[in-house]
Amino acid sequence: MRKAQITIFLFLFVIIQISSQIVNVADHGIKPGKDVTLEVYQLLNSLEGKKNVTLFFPKGQYEFYPENAFEEYRAVTNHDNSLKKIAFPIYNFENFTLDGNGSTFMFHGKISPIVVEGSTNTRLKNFAIDWDKSFVNELKVVKNNEEENSFVVEVANEKFGFEVKNNQILFNHYDWQDEIGQNIAFDSATKSPIWQTKNYFLKPQPKTAAKIIKIDNKTAKFINYTKVTPPVGTVFATYGKSPGLNRHVPAIHLSNSKDNFLNDVTVLQTGGMGLIAERCENISLDKFIVTSRVGRTIATRADATHFLGCKGSITLENCLFEHMLDDGINVHGAYVKVEKYVGNNTFLCETSHPQQWGFTFGEKGDEIMIISRETILPIFKTEITEVKVLNERRTLITVAELPTVMPEGKLSLENLTWYPDVYMNKNIIRENRARSALITTKGKVLVENNYFSSQMHGILIEGDNNKWYESGGVQDITIRNNTFENIGYGSGDSYPLLASPLFTSEQKFGNQKFHQNINFINNVIKSFNGQLVHAMSVKGLNVSGNSIEISTDYPTGAKLPAIDLEYCEDVIIEKNQFKKFDFPIKATVKDNNSKVKIKKNKGLLK
């Protein structure tokens, strides 16, 4: 994001705040220590149509329950669509501020805290979001026996407890039960996923030799449930089966809104993502924090932040994201599959991934690209003239022009209008499952002065047309002056930078490169494996001036090449320094690369 734009947005918002009407919720019977769900909804309803309103909460803990909450069916991208009960439906407001004044909003059961829909100039500030009972079931290993491959766990009770039936453990929640579904093991010492975490996967449907015994209301014994007996101190995070209860409740959902500001907001728990934004223009996060509260290991069920089909600018500064069960930030567009051409410039299209059903791909006036699903490369640019939604999955999209000859093979559509610029500065992303950042946008991207430490890749620049259908071959991204520490501590096979489309066995390279103009410069990498960059199908890659030094926090040794290039063009790998490594640091450059310069790299074997 351009800093001049940020200044303009902030200036306009300051002017708005000066003329704002302050509504103190205490004057409307809303007080800490009781269920205020109905009263908050009624107050928001009474403010409908008013502009420049600040909803002010005196500091305290406010309780929100689902029984009296506003409800509507909502399609929430990258979550499970369903009827959603909503505590703060901030719909169609202009210049609205929610000021918690340091309060905690405590939620109970399946209730979505905040939805901003169809609004302009919205500010959320000075509050924390939490749940009395975590959506993630935590099991801490307190004893183990390697000879019988067994371990005893202390189950985080948190009010509702658990039971064992038919050799399955069932975790009680507000009005439902979870069984073991998706899960991952964390290390209580590092508060991060444990080294070689796949060895400790809890099999949801284990072999007959596996057994669970309930010892008392706090502990249970597992026998033959893991490949390797977990060490004492391991914390298993289990979170039910997907879809259904797995990603039901995001903390904050921004949708079809413009100029959104989040300041001094903390998310301590949620049954989905900390923040999910779709079809929004201009989002600014300052001191947005995702972390676990004292006594818990896990914060969010999924990403800290996620942005799909947005435009304008996305800015993150001074944020802390840790203890999530997915990525720190993910920015991308979406492909829709062309099922068939039905004539009259119209395509029947499908949104393929279940957790993107209902997503608004495009509207009249949006510029789109017809692309090959085989190579994920562009074919023809045109404009949407009409959209007819048939259902959550399928849509008729009519365009202004078509190629003279319709291309053969499988096709998709990509929306070129809805891609944002991204600016990340002075953020910390650490101690989480998955990646620090996924950034796949055609906008201008600058990532500087951040700290990254993640179980998988540091920064993943991807794009896939086969699973999540996340689009966006990058065109201008600079990653500079950041610190990457112990990237890939889950298994040791991840990179600080991975730039590559995700191909299936049926897809192949085309005659162009998918990504362009990636600069990875002057970063500090503290690494146990010496890996730096893996790039595939990139034109214009500059990896220069980076300092890579040995870390002994995890088992050291090279599992993969430090530099791995495939089907790249115009590549400079220059003046990088590998320090104190006692194993070979190598580069792999396949024959299908062109115009590659690797020079003046200290400690790198050619």
Side-chain angles (χ1 to χ4, degrees):
M1 168 168 184
R2 297 174 179 84
K3 293 188 176 181
Q5 288 178 299
I6 302 173
T7 302
I8 293 171
F9 295 150
L10 292 176
F11 174 76
L12 290 174
F13 212 96
V14 167
I15 296 299
I16 291 166
Q17 293 300 295
I18 291 173
S19 59
S20 177
Q21 173 193 356
I22 298 176
V23 178
N24 190 324
V25 300
D27 297 335
H28 299 266
I30 298 172
K31 297 181 180 180
K34 65 175 185 176
D35 181 6
V36 297
T37 314
L38 178 60
E39 289 80 2
V40 167
Y41 174 68
Q42 289 175 322
L43 180 54
L44 282 170
N45 261 355
S46 73
L47 297 173
E48 185 177 356
K50 294 185 179 181
K51 300 180 180 180
N52 307 329
V53 171
T54 293
L55 195 63
F56 178 82
F57 282 75
K59 187 174 182 178
Q61 179 169 306
Y62 297 83
E63 311 294 328
F64 294 86
Y65 288 81
E67 285 76 13
N68 295 322
F70 166 75
E71 180 183 72
E72 71 172 5
Y73 184 90
R74 288 192 67 83
V76 184
T77 186
N78 292 81
H79 288 73
D80 301 320
N81 297 347
S82 65
L83 281 170
K84 306 290 185 189
K85 296 180 184 295
I86 303 167
F88 288 88
I90 303 171
Y91 288 14
N92 305 311
F93 276 91
E94 185 175 340
N95 307 333
F96 178 88
T97 296
L98 172 58
D99 185 352
N101 190 38
S103 294
T104 295
F105 298 147
M106 184 64 71
F107 297 89
H108 305 261
K110 287 182 282 187
I111 177 170
S112 297
I114 297 172
V115 177
V116 178
E117 175 70 47
S119 296
T120 303
N121 287 326
T122 304
R123 171 163 287 186
L124 310 174
K125 66 178 185 178
N126 303 330
F127 59 84
I129 290 173
D130 198 1
W131 262 263
D132 67 328
K133 163 69 175 177
S134 173
F135 285 86
V136 179
N137 310 295
E138 296 187 15
L139 314 172
K140 185 174 182 177
V141 177
V142 293
K143 294 180 183 179
N144 66 3
N145 185 327
E146 294 185 5
E147 290 184 3
E148 67 171 0
N149 189 23
S150 70
F151 54 93
V152 175
V153 298
E154 188 176 83
V155 182
N157 190 13
E158 291 186 323
K159 187 177 181 179
F160 295 105
F162 72 99
E163 55 187 296
V164 174
K165 288 184 178 179
N166 301 321
N167 205 28
Q168 282 193 327
I169 188 167
L170 302 172
F171 306 96
N172 299 324
H173 289 261
Y174 188 80
D175 55 6
W176 76 93
Q177 284 186 325
D178 278 344
E179 57 188 85
I180 292 175
Q182 292 178 294
N183 62 87
I184 188 171
F186 271 62
D187 185 332
S188 59
T190 64
K191 296 184 179 180
S192 307
I194 198 168
W195 173 252
Q196 299 291 0
T197 186
K198 290 182 180 179
N199 288 336
Y200 308 107
F201 178 70
L202 293 173
K203 298 180 281 281
Q205 294 180 329
K207 297 178 181 178
T208 55
K211 192 173 182 180
I212 302 177
I213 302 170
K214 183 173 182 178
I215 298 173
D216 54 37
N217 289 333
K218 293 184 178 180
T219 55
K221 184 177 182 178
F222 286 68
I223 303 171
N224 285 325
Y225 246 79
T226 55
K227 181 179 178 181
V228 177
T229 305
V232 171
T234 301
V235 176
F236 289 98
T238 81
Y239 31 101
K241 292 185 177 181
S242 178
L245 298 174
N246 210 310
R247 291 187 177 188
H248 185 80
V249 181
I252 300 171
H253 182 202
L254 307 178
S255 177
N256 298 293
S257 296
K258 182 178 180 180
D259 299 340
N260 303 274
F261 299 83
L262 281 75
N263 306 91
D264 293 293
V265 172
T266 298
V267 176
L268 297 168
Q269 170 58 208
T270 185
M273 296 176 178
L275 168 68
I276 174 68
E278 54 185 307
R279 201 75 178 178
C280 288
E281 181 177 357
N282 303 329
I283 303 169
S284 176
L285 277 61
D286 186 15
K287 297 179 183 176
F288 183 67
I289 295 173
V290 171
T291 188
S292 54
R293 80 180 192 203
V294 175
R296 288 179 182 164
T297 301
I298 307 301
T300 61
R301 157 63 194 91
D303 302 342
T305 62
H306 197 115
F307 306 86
L308 170 56
C310 295
K311 70 177 181 179
S313 59
I314 294 173
T315 304
L316 285 81
E317 295 190 278
N318 310 305
C319 297
L320 169 64
F321 304 150
E322 60 184 6
H323 310 157
M324 307 83 68
L325 289 174
D326 218 319
D327 309 309
I329 176 175
N330 192 346
V331 183
H332 61 92
Y335 295 116
V336 292
K337 290 166 57 178
V338 173
E339 287 297 315
K340 63 179 179 179
Y341 177 65
V342 298
N344 298 319
N345 287 24
T346 301
F347 296 101
L348 174 64
C349 298
E350 178 180 88
T351 302
S352 299
H353 196 283
Q355 288 183 329
Q356 287 182 354
W357 291 350
F359 167 68
T360 300
F361 167 77
E363 296 176 328
K364 182 179 179 179
D366 287 353
E367 187 177 63
I368 64 170
M369 181 69 74
I370 301 171
I371 69 166
S372 165
R373 209 184 314 160
E374 185 180 35
T375 63
I376 329 183
L377 292 178
I379 296 174
F380 187 81
K381 186 186 296 185
T382 185
E383 183 179 297
I384 296 176
T385 59
E386 186 179 29
V387 175
K388 289 185 178 179
V389 177
L390 301 177
N391 51 55
E392 280 189 329
R393 296 186 64 176
R394 296 208 168 182
T395 305
L396 291 170
I397 296 178
T398 304
V399 298
E401 297 178 277
L402 290 174
T404 303
V405 178
M406 284 291 289
E408 297 181 357
K410 296 178 179 180
L411 304 175
S412 290
L413 302 182
E414 176 183 12
N415 194 318
L416 303 179
T417 297
W418 289 82
Y419 277 122
D421 295 339
V422 177
Y423 180 61
M424 294 180 64
N425 179 43
K426 296 181 180 178
N427 304 291
I428 298 172
I429 304 178
R430 65 188 180 191
E431 299 171 3
N432 65 298
R433 177 199 162 270
R435 285 78 38 151
S436 294
L438 280 78
I439 301 177
T440 312
T441 173
K442 295 186 186 304
K444 185 177 179 63
V445 178
L446 177 57
V447 179
E448 61 181 354
N449 308 316
N450 303 282
Y451 174 89
F452 301 122
S453 180
S454 51
Q455 176 218 357
M456 297 167 66
H457 303 293
I459 294 180
L460 174 58
I461 302 171
E462 196 177 55
D464 81 89
N465 202 347
N466 58 74
K467 185 178 180 181
W468 280 97
Y469 295 86
E470 297 181 354
S471 68
V474 300
Q475 296 182 341
D476 185 350
I477 178 167
T478 297
I479 302 160
R480 68 188 184 196
N481 302 325
N482 303 283
T483 297
F484 295 81
E485 186 166 9
N486 292 325
I487 294 297
Y489 53 68
S491 60
D493 56 2
S494 299
Y495 286 85
L497 173 65
L498 173 60
S500 170
L502 178 65
F503 278 163
T504 67
S505 59
E506 297 178 351
Q507 292 174 315
K508 64 181 183 180
F509 294 130
N511 57 7
Q512 303 173 42
K513 305 299 186 287
F514 184 73
H515 293 301
Q516 298 182 41
N517 302 322
I518 300 173
N519 298 284
F520 190 80
I521 54 179
N522 300 331
N523 300 288
V524 173
I525 295 97
K526 300 176 183 179
S527 173
F528 56 90
N529 57 23
Q531 289 158 207
L532 179 58
V533 59
H534 179 192
M536 184 174 79
S537 194
V538 178
K539 178 179 173 63
L541 173 65
N542 179 11
V543 181
S544 300
N546 299 289
S547 174
I548 308 96
E549 57 189 67
I550 190 72
S551 166
T552 58
D553 294 336
Y554 294 90
T556 59
K559 295 186 66 174
L560 298 169
I563 296 166
D564 193 353
L565 305 177
E566 182 175 4
Y567 196 55
C568 293
E569 181 181 355
D570 295 335
V571 178
I572 297 174
I573 311 290
E574 184 177 22
K575 296 181 181 179
N576 301 289
Q577 296 187 52
F578 293 84
K579 303 175 182 178
K580 299 181 180 181
F581 289 90
D582 57 3
F583 50 86
I585 302 297
K586 299 180 180 179
T588 297
V589 181
K590 292 183 171 63
D591 293 338
N592 58 9
N593 293 281
S594 63
K595 300 179 184 177
V596 176
K597 295 180 181 179
I598 301 179
K599 60 182 181 179
K600 298 181 181 179
N601 297 284
K602 184 179 179 180
L604 176 67
L605 300 177
K606 294 185 178 179

